[in-house]
Amino acid sequence: ELKVEQNPLFLSMQEGKNYTIYCNYSTTSDRLYWYRQDPGKSLESLFVLLSNGAVKQEGRLMASLDTKARLSTLHITAAVHDLSATYFCAVSTGTASKLTFGTGTRLQVTL
Amino acid sequence: GAGVSQSPSNKVTEKGKDVELRCDPISGHTALYWYRQSLGQGLEFLIYFQGNSAPDKSGLPSDRFSAERTGGSVSTLTIQRTQQEDSAVYLCASSLFGGTYYGYTFGSGTRLTVV
C-alpha cells in the first residue's frame, strides 16, 4: 500500500525566512504533485513533477523530486504572509492515476 | 465550463437519510475523481472514472456509497443511510487523460454534515 508522509505537519515561520517541507513516499513513482489549500477552499495545483531530478519554481516556491530517494521537497524562499496555507504533496502510481495524499503541512507565516 | 463545479456547496442532513452530491467536470476532461477530506482521515480517494472504462471503486468505504457518471460528463456521488462519520468535505477533480502530465483540477467541494 502506498504511503505518503509529510513533515513537518505544522510550520510557523517569520516573514523573510527560508524553509523546506519534505514529502516521502513508500512506493516507486515518478509522478508527484504539490497543492495549496487555503482555509475553507479547494486544492490549488502548484507543481507537477514527472521525472527524477525535476525542479520547478514559481515565485518564492521551488519543488524538486528525487525518485531514487522517494523524496520531494517544497522550498520556501523569503516567506511572505500570503504564503500561509496548507500544502499537500500527492503521488500517483499505476494506470488508475488516483492520487494518494500526504497529511499536509500547515504553514503560518508571521509578520 | 471554466472549472470543476460542485453542488451543493453545503449540505446538512439527518442521520439515515440519503444524499446526492453533484460534480460537473471541465469540458473535455476524460477522467473524474471523487475524494473525501475529513479531520481524522485527511484526503482519501473514493472513486475514479476514465472515459468508458469500468470505474475504479476501490476507495469507496462501504456499500452505502455509490457513484455514476452519465454521458462521460456529470457525476453524482450518492450516500445512502448517512452516518455521522460520513461528515466531511467531498471533493471532485477532473483531468485530461488521467492527470499524468496535466495534473488534476479540483472543485470547491461539498461540505456534508450529518446530524
Side-chain angles (χ1 to χ4, degrees), chain A residues 31 33 35 37 40-45 48 50 88 92 95-103, chain B residues 33 35 37 43 45 48 56 58 91 97-109 111:
Chain A
R31 290 171 279 169
Y33 308 83
Y35 287 89
Q37 187 176 40
K41 304 290 185 182
S42 190
L43 296 166
E44 174 192 351
S45 179
V48 179
L50 298 176
F88 291 92
S92 168
T95 55
S97 299
K98 63 188 180 189
L99 292 173
T100 300
F101 283 87
T103 47
Chain B
Y33 311 77
Y35 290 86
Q37 186 173 27
L43 275 152
F45 165 77
Y48 160 57
D56 176 354
S58 60
L91 292 166
F97 308 129
T100 299
Y101 298 105
Y102 304 100
Y104 307 74
T105 302
F106 282 82
S108 54
R111 181 175 296 277

